[in-house]
Each structure stands twice: as C-alpha cells, then as structure tokens.
C-alpha cells in the first residue's frame, strides 16, 4: 500500500525544472542530427527550391482553366457632359444631342469630377497540341527532382555530422590515452632522476635523454589531438547552430565498437544505390523534364485554339453617357 501511494505521488508531482547552475544533459548524436537538419542552409535551400517546383506544377495543372485579367482606372478631373434631352421621356430625342456647354467645352470648374473605368479579359484554351500536358509532365519531374534534392542535402548534412561526431570520439579517446601516457612518462622521469641521484649503474644520462625525447614527441601528439578535437567541435557548432557546444554544453560519450552485423554484399549495395541514391533520381527526373521540354518546343510549331473575350466600361457622376 505504501508503494502504491508513493507511485501515485510520483505521477502527480510535476517534473522538477533544471536548477540554475545545474549542467544541461549532454547532447547525443540524434540531437545533433535534428539540430543540423533544422539549421543547415543547404537543407533550407533545397526546401525552398522544392516550393518553387511545386508552384510551377500547380501553375501547369491549372493551365486548362480560363485566365482572367482585370484592369481598373480612376482619373480626373473630368468635365461635365450632359445630354440635351432625355431619350426615356422624349420620344423624338435621339439620345446623341448634348448641351451647348458640352459642345463648346465651356465647362464649369465647380462641376469637375472624376471617372471610373475597368476592363475584364478572359482566355480559355481549347486545344494546344500537347503543350499543357508536356508542361505538366515537366513540372512533375521538377517536383521529383526537388524532393530528391532535399534527400541529397539531408544525407550530406547527416554524413558530415556523423563523421564529425565519430571523429570527436576518436580525438577524445586519443587525448585520454596520451594524457595517461604523459602521466606515466612524468612518473618514470621522476624515478629515473632518483636512480641517477643515487648513482644507480642500471641507468645513464642517455636513458634520461631518450625518455625526455619521447616525452617531447608525446607532448606534440597530445597538442595536435587537442587542437583536432577543438576543430571538430567548431565544425559541429557550425553544422548544428549550437554555439554552446563545447562551451558548457558537452557531447554524450559513446563507446566505439565495430557493428555486430556484417555489411551487405557489393551487388546488393550497388542495386540499392541505383534505386535510392538522390543523385540518380535527380538525373532521371532531369531526363524526363528534358523530354517534356522537347515536346513543348515541337508543339509550338502548331497554333493554339482558344476562346477569348473582354468587357469594358466607364462611369462618371458628371456625364450622362
């Protein structure tokens, strides 16, 4: 009963926040990959390019629908222009006679006003000898190429992040081994100096020279390993956009071990690469788009049949017609 109460209490209590000053948890490889894929400019550019291809595909898909264009006009000042008679009330009025002021242009500036106008045009394609269908196929191939481009960018970023992470593990392990060797050499040097001070015949100054020579070589390798590890962290900061990496935000350690499973055979790898590599998919989409472009160019030798029309008009409050 006491155990059940403790379990319910643990479920009901909210998660305790990270205290101020407490170190954040280390970053694993999966977190680095997610951050890099959301930050890297190559992936963002590939997504933007795919949006362009999708917009072109929508434009080609709706090409059969009529295209409408509306033009509006607002202008002024417009002078008064009135009819001399009303055709609705006067049967003898032709509706074309205007007042004397309208004929002579003797306008009153106090009666100046504005004019509104507009024009609506429409075009409906009927038959284009395959232009629209070929354009739609080319646009669809562009969408496939854009999708493959995103996969290519994501794979490239993931490869670079994984390579940098495993290189950091190797460099960190090398630093640990070299630091341990440095401590052992320092301890051995102290013992050797003590034996020389005691005039031990088993050691000579030549042994001390060799030991210090190897110690200098070890210091060089250690400094190179540290610089390499720092350079790898800088590359990971660039790839992931995590500026705190290595400056308060550490990487999670992972033991380096060979995979338990054997890699697939070479023919299987080649066949899988032919079917899934984004570069080959982009090439296939490019070939399809090129064929469609040739069909569009061939169809341009033939005329386009379409229906077209327009409606236009204007209005002013100081003019009768």
């Amino acid at each position: 009963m006491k155990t059940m109460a403790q379990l319910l209490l643990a479920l009901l209590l909210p998660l305790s926040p990270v205290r101020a000053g407490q170190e954040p948890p280390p970053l694993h490889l999966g977190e680095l990959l997610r951050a890099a894929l959301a930050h890297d400019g190559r992936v963002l550019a590939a997504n933007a390019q795919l949006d362009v291809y999708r917009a072109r595909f929508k434009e080609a898909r709706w090409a059969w629908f009529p295209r409408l264009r509306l033009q509006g006009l607002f202008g002024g000042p417009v002078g008064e222009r009135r009819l001399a008679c009303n055709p609705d009330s006067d049967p003898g009025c032709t509706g074309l006679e205007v007042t004397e002021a309208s004929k002579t242009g003797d306008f009153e500036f106090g009666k100046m006003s504005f004019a509104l106008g507009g024009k609506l045009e429409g075009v409906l394609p009927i038959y284009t000898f395959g232009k629209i269908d070929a354009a739609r196929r080319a646009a669809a191939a562009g969408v496939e190429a854009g999708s493959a481009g995103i996969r290519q960018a994501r794979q490239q970023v993931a490869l670079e992040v994984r390579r940098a992470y495993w290189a950091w593990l190797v460099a960190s392990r090398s630093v640990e081994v070299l630091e341990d060797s440095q401590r052992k050499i320092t301890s051995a040097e102290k013992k050797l100096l003590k034996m020389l001070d005691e005039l031990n015949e088993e050691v000579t100054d030549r042994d001390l020279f060799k030991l210090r020579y190897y110690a200098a070589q070890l210091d060089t390798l250690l400094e190179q390993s540290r610089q390499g590890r720092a350079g790898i962290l800088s590359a990971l900061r660039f790839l992931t956009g995590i500026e705190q990496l290595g400056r308060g935000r550490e990487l999670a350690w992972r033991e380096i071990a060979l995979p338990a499973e054997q890699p697939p055979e070479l023919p299987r790898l080649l066949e899988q690469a032919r079917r899934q590599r984004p570069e080959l998919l982009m090439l296939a989409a490019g070939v399809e788009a090129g064929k469609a472009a040739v069909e569009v160019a061939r169809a341009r030798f033939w005329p386009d049949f379409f229906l077209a029309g327009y409606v236009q008009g204007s209005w002013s409050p100081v003019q009768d017609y």
Side-chain angles (χ1 to χ4, degrees):
M1 192 68 181
K2 182 177 179 181
T3 306
M4 182 62 67
Q6 292 177 350
L7 178 61
L8 292 175
L9 183 61
L11 293 175
L12 292 176
L13 286 177
L15 295 176
S16 59
V18 179
R19 298 178 181 177
Q22 184 177 358
E23 294 184 359
L27 292 171
H28 295 271
L29 178 59
E31 296 173 328
L32 295 176
L33 289 173
R34 286 191 293 270
L37 293 176
H39 167 76
D40 196 274
R42 289 167 292 182
V43 179
L44 300 178
N47 281 279
Q49 187 64 37
L50 179 60
D51 292 338
V52 173
Y53 289 136
R54 286 174 175 172
R56 292 177 180 174
F57 178 74
K58 288 183 179 180
E59 182 180 2
R61 188 177 60 180
W62 291 92
W64 280 108
F65 285 80
R67 288 175 290 178
L68 302 176
R69 185 176 65 173
L70 177 63
Q71 297 177 348
L73 172 66
F74 176 83
V78 178
E80 185 180 17
R81 189 170 180 84
R82 299 298 185 181
L83 293 174
C85 58
N86 189 353
D88 296 333
S89 60
D90 188 1
C93 180
T94 62
L96 298 177
E97 298 179 359
V98 296
T99 61
E100 292 296 330
S102 299
K103 292 180 180 180
T104 60
D106 186 13
F107 304 116
E108 297 182 12
F109 290 98
K111 295 182 179 180
M112 292 292 182
S113 185
F114 61 91
L116 297 177
K119 183 178 181 181
L120 178 63
E121 299 177 350
V123 178
L124 175 63
I126 298 177
Y127 190 72
T128 61
F129 291 92
K131 294 184 184 71
I132 296 179
D133 295 335
R136 188 183 297 114
R137 290 199 304 272
V143 173
E144 294 179 2
S147 301
I150 291 179
R151 290 181 54 188
Q152 182 185 21
R154 291 175 63 89
Q155 289 178 3
Q156 184 65 30
V157 173
L159 175 63
E160 292 178 0
V161 171
R162 286 191 174 95
R163 182 182 297 169
Y165 176 75
W166 289 107
W168 176 83
L169 290 178
V170 173
S172 299
R173 178 62 73 183
S174 300
V175 169
E176 291 181 0
V177 173
L178 292 173
E179 287 178 346
D180 182 67
S181 301
Q182 189 181 49
R183 288 190 293 268
K184 292 180 179 178
I185 287 182
T186 302
S187 177
E189 183 179 0
K190 292 179 179 179
K191 294 180 180 179
L192 184 58
L193 289 173
K194 183 178 180 181
M195 295 174 67
L196 289 174
D197 293 340
E198 294 175 353
L199 300 178
N200 193 326
E201 297 181 354
E202 296 181 359
V203 294
T204 61
D205 293 338
R206 185 176 181 181
D207 297 327
L208 180 60
F209 174 78
K210 290 182 178 180
L211 185 62
R212 288 179 175 176
Y213 172 77
Y214 291 127
Q217 296 293 324
L218 184 63
D219 292 341
T220 302
L221 293 176
L222 179 58
E223 186 61 27
Q224 291 176 353
S225 299
R226 288 172 177 172
Q227 291 179 1
R229 183 175 61 177
I232 294 170
L233 286 176
S234 179
L236 285 174
R237 283 194 295 268
F238 175 78
L239 291 171
T240 61
I242 304 176
E243 296 296 334
Q244 297 80 15
L245 193 61
R247 304 168 181 171
R249 194 73 187 274
E250 301 300 331
L251 290 176
W253 180 258
R254 183 175 178 179
E255 292 296 332
I256 303 175
L258 295 176
E261 300 179 357
Q262 294 294 329
E265 297 180 356
L266 182 59
R268 180 181 175 185
L269 290 176
L270 291 176
E271 180 63 25
Q272 186 176 2
R274 294 189 185 100
R275 289 186 289 103
Q276 298 183 2
R277 286 299 301 174
E279 295 87 349
L280 299 179
L281 297 178
M282 293 173 67
L283 288 175
V287 171
E288 181 64 23
K291 293 180 180 179
V294 171
E295 295 182 7
V296 172
R298 183 184 297 113
R300 287 177 179 172
F301 287 100
W302 300 94
D304 294 336
F305 295 94
F306 59 90
L307 292 176
Y310 70 92
V311 177
Q312 66 179 2
S314 61
W315 173 83
S316 177
V318 294
Q319 294 190 3
D320 289 340
Y321 65 95

